[in-house]
Amino acid sequence: MSRRSDRSKRLSPSCRIKDSIPPSLYFLDSRPVFCLAVPWMALGGADRCGVDLMSYYKDRGFRIVVVATRKIRVDCRRESAFYSIADEVHLTEDVASVVGKLQPAYIVVNNSHEAYEQAEAIKKAAPDTKLISLFHMILNAPWDFEKSLQKETPFDLVLTVSDKLKRELIQKGVEESLIKTLHWFGFPQLENTWSLRKTERDPRYVLCPFRFHFQKRPTFVCDIAAELCRILTAAHMPIFLLVGDGELYSKIKERAKELKVSHWIQFERGVDYEQMQKYYKQASALVCPSVDEGIPLTYFEAMQWSVPMAVSNVGAVSELVPPSYMIDFETKDEAKEYAKLLCSHLTGQSRAEIRTARKSINKKFSKSVWAEKVKRLIG
């Protein structure tokens, strides 16, 4: 079941590392193995889902193994989340070989092209393993992983992050009986946040926590800021705080200068995941005008912290986000609609909706609900 991928970004032999435990000593560790196959170890939303599964099975007494199949230059602090949990990390394209040695109870493929390409070989090398696909979004080639899940697939289970995605995969030819929805969660063990909120009247900021990538439309934040300047006086204007990093950093600055809103656009780059709660704690609102999404983990986190949102109605966002928080993508006067919604948040008109959203998160999308489903669906 061959798959297309960009071989220029694959691991060269010099990038491979030896097994952290020699094969001759594997028998000394009798713990069952949970194996995660990823392209690289960088904490985006999809990657954090893998880390959450690693933590869950680590707490249950499993030996945790990560196989990263591609090289990428990442901040070592982002890799550390994987290394701190994993008992072994393998940097290699040859997933089947690693799996053959380990004979894991479960192997979860999380966006790794090479693991999808080797699915049949993996199943042959470890026939008793439960081979699982963690699926986030329908994307174009070479990320069209659903082709590896169609007729006669060696996968035993497909986990999707939304019901909408499940329906889309069925339409793409994936067997319905294989697919189960596993909604994710925000920050673990966090419920009573309202009393912890520290929003300041001055200066206030609108949080924009995402990669500076075309999918998130970060430059459009400048257009929203320009429209909000027409509604609010300078004394009441919030800062738009972009927390993240990416290739469009310079483009955002150029757009802000062009629209004369540079004063209202600020950046926090290279922020660790552990630091994010302080930004939600003080944010007056959140904006994310994405082109497409699965269901971003930042939305779970914002609703936990009672942060009102103005986000695009794309992907499966409507399964989580209240209708009043969403703006239809490319609607007429879109930036103006975002500005109007932000104005209602900043003036306290959406307080009741915020409380309802927080209760929904605690009841339907908590870590405890997620953990029960993981145990039931995977084992």
XYZ file of all heavy atoms in Angstrom, residues 17-31 33 58 62-66 86-90 97-98 101-102:
252
model
N 19.622 7.030 15.020
C 20.294 6.752 16.276
C 20.095 5.302 16.629
O 19.182 4.645 16.152
C 19.771 7.643 17.421
C 18.282 7.353 17.684
C 20.010 9.097 17.137
C 17.758 8.044 18.919
N 20.965 4.803 17.458
C 20.846 3.427 17.893
C 19.684 3.301 18.874
O 19.289 4.258 19.518
C 22.141 2.983 18.572
C 23.343 2.950 17.631
C 24.581 2.517 18.375
C 25.784 2.470 17.449
N 27.009 2.065 18.158
N 19.161 2.086 19.005
C 18.130 1.840 19.998
C 18.683 2.205 21.370
O 19.822 1.899 21.702
C 17.736 0.349 20.020
C 17.170 -0.084 18.673
O 16.729 0.798 17.923
O 17.190 -1.291 18.401
N 17.859 2.860 22.180
C 18.331 3.252 23.508
C 18.521 2.051 24.419
O 19.230 2.117 25.404
C 17.346 4.236 24.136
O 16.058 3.659 24.199
N 17.880 0.910 24.094
C 18.091 -0.345 24.811
C 18.539 -1.378 23.787
O 17.840 -1.611 22.809
C 16.805 -0.827 25.519
C 16.365 0.213 26.561
C 17.021 -2.181 26.177
C 15.087 -0.155 27.266
N 19.690 -2.004 23.968
C 20.144 -3.007 22.997
C 19.120 -4.121 22.845
O 18.493 -4.534 23.826
C 21.446 -3.531 23.627
C 21.892 -2.448 24.555
C 20.647 -1.814 25.067
N 18.930 -4.633 21.618
C 17.940 -5.686 21.395
C 18.114 -6.876 22.320
O 17.145 -7.500 22.728
C 18.178 -6.071 19.929
C 18.745 -4.833 19.312
C 19.577 -4.207 20.375
N 19.367 -7.191 22.683
C 19.618 -8.349 23.544
C 19.058 -8.189 24.947
O 18.918 -9.157 25.688
C 21.128 -8.600 23.625
O 21.782 -7.472 24.183
N 18.744 -6.931 25.325
C 18.241 -6.673 26.672
C 16.741 -6.434 26.698
O 16.171 -6.183 27.757
C 18.961 -5.452 27.286
C 20.480 -5.590 27.460
C 21.039 -4.312 28.098
C 20.838 -6.805 28.303
N 16.066 -6.491 25.536
C 14.639 -6.224 25.501
C 13.866 -7.137 26.449
O 12.908 -6.733 27.071
C 14.094 -6.424 24.077
C 14.377 -5.287 23.131
C 14.347 -5.486 21.756
C 14.686 -4.016 23.603
C 14.598 -4.455 20.872
C 14.955 -2.981 22.730
C 14.915 -3.196 21.364
O 15.162 -2.178 20.486
N 14.305 -8.409 26.531
C 13.548 -9.368 27.308
C 13.541 -9.043 28.795
O 12.718 -9.563 29.549
C 14.105 -10.778 27.079
C 15.461 -10.996 27.712
C 15.568 -11.540 28.981
C 16.618 -10.656 27.033
C 16.810 -11.734 29.561
C 17.858 -10.852 27.606
C 17.968 -11.392 28.879
N 14.478 -8.200 29.265
C 14.548 -7.856 30.676
C 13.408 -6.937 31.095
O 13.104 -6.824 32.284
C 15.893 -7.178 30.986
C 17.138 -8.044 30.786
C 18.385 -7.236 31.072
C 17.082 -9.285 31.678
N 12.792 -6.245 30.158
C 11.689 -5.339 30.457
C 10.391 -6.009 30.019
O 10.116 -6.138 28.836
C 11.877 -4.011 29.715
C 10.940 -2.925 30.240
O 9.852 -3.269 30.738
O 11.305 -1.741 30.150
N 9.608 -6.429 30.989
C 8.403 -7.210 30.687
C 7.162 -6.347 30.502
O 6.077 -6.870 30.268
C 8.146 -8.212 31.810
O 7.948 -7.535 33.049
N 7.320 -5.032 30.597
C 6.154 -4.159 30.449
C 5.607 -4.215 29.023
O 6.377 -4.331 28.070
C 6.532 -2.706 30.775
C 6.837 -2.424 32.224
C 7.262 -0.970 32.411
N 8.516 -0.680 31.721
C 9.001 0.548 31.538
N 8.331 1.591 31.979
N 10.158 0.712 30.908
N 4.270 -2.689 25.569
C 4.816 -1.533 24.848
C 3.708 -0.760 24.143
O 2.862 -1.351 23.459
C 5.874 -1.989 23.821
C 6.331 -0.806 22.951
C 7.073 -2.616 24.524
N 1.820 5.614 29.770
C 2.923 5.626 30.740
C 2.367 5.453 32.148
O 2.877 4.651 32.938
C 3.680 6.953 30.638
C 4.892 7.060 31.568
C 6.091 6.427 30.941
C 7.360 6.773 31.694
N 8.555 6.193 31.056
N 2.921 1.083 30.890
C 3.471 0.659 29.603
C 4.876 1.229 29.403
O 5.218 2.289 29.945
C 2.588 1.133 28.449
C 1.353 0.302 28.221
C 0.324 0.271 29.153
C 1.212 -0.456 27.065
C -0.822 -0.478 28.945
C 0.071 -1.215 26.843
C -0.949 -1.227 27.784
N 5.677 0.516 28.619
C 6.935 1.072 28.139
C 6.618 1.902 26.904
O 5.973 1.412 25.965
C 7.909 -0.054 27.785
C 9.263 0.435 27.268
C 10.367 -0.563 27.581
N 10.121 -1.882 27.021
C 10.727 -2.367 25.950
N 11.581 -1.608 25.268
N 10.499 -3.592 25.535
N 7.074 3.139 26.860
C 6.687 4.072 25.799
C 7.827 4.224 24.803
O 8.963 4.538 25.174
C 6.320 5.449 26.389
C 5.269 5.299 27.491
C 5.833 6.382 25.286
C 3.971 4.638 27.041
N 7.501 4.012 23.528
C 8.486 4.107 22.460
C 7.971 5.075 21.391
O 6.811 4.999 20.982
C 8.738 2.724 21.813
C 9.711 2.856 20.647
C 9.270 1.743 22.854
N 8.829 5.991 20.966
C 8.517 6.913 19.875
C 9.400 6.585 18.683
O 10.615 6.393 18.841
C 8.745 8.386 20.293
C 8.522 9.318 19.109
C 7.824 8.768 21.436
N 9.015 9.338 26.898
C 9.384 8.098 26.227
C 10.509 7.368 26.949
O 11.445 7.981 27.471
C 9.796 8.391 24.786
N 10.429 6.048 26.959
C 11.535 5.219 27.434
C 12.561 5.027 26.337
O 13.747 4.821 26.618
C 10.998 3.848 27.888
C 10.054 3.960 29.069
O 10.531 4.248 30.182
O 8.840 3.779 28.876
N 12.116 5.077 25.086
C 13.012 4.958 23.939
C 12.529 5.890 22.839
O 11.323 6.039 22.629
C 13.015 3.534 23.372
C 13.432 2.443 24.329
C 13.233 1.078 23.710
O 13.491 0.932 22.495
O 12.797 0.158 24.429
N 13.479 6.495 22.134
C 13.182 7.291 20.946
C 14.039 6.768 19.806
O 15.263 6.660 19.941
C 13.453 8.790 21.177
C 13.290 9.565 19.874
C 12.527 9.351 22.242
N 13.394 6.428 18.698
C 14.097 5.944 17.515
C 13.900 6.953 16.394
O 12.764 7.316 16.083
C 13.544 4.587 17.072
C 13.682 3.504 18.094
N 14.635 2.524 18.028
C 12.973 3.262 19.229
C 14.515 1.716 19.055
N 13.506 2.136 19.799
N 10.879 -2.404 11.235
C 11.983 -3.073 11.923
C 11.915 -2.843 13.429
O 12.097 -3.778 14.217
C 13.321 -2.572 11.375
O 14.402 -3.162 12.068
N 11.663 -1.601 13.825
C 11.552 -1.286 15.258
C 10.386 -2.048 15.882
O 10.505 -2.655 16.949
C 11.371 0.232 15.465
C 11.124 0.547 16.937
C 12.585 0.996 14.958
N 11.026 -5.749 16.522
C 11.814 -6.036 17.724
C 10.982 -5.880 18.996
O 11.122 -6.649 19.944
C 13.014 -5.086 17.790
C 14.049 -5.265 16.695
C 15.110 -4.183 16.779
C 16.102 -4.270 15.633
N 17.096 -3.167 15.678
N 10.115 -4.868 19.008
C 9.397 -4.512 20.235
C 8.130 -5.320 20.461
O 7.718 -5.511 21.599
C 9.041 -3.020 20.205
C 10.201 -2.035 20.206
C 9.686 -0.626 19.952
C 10.944 -2.085 21.530
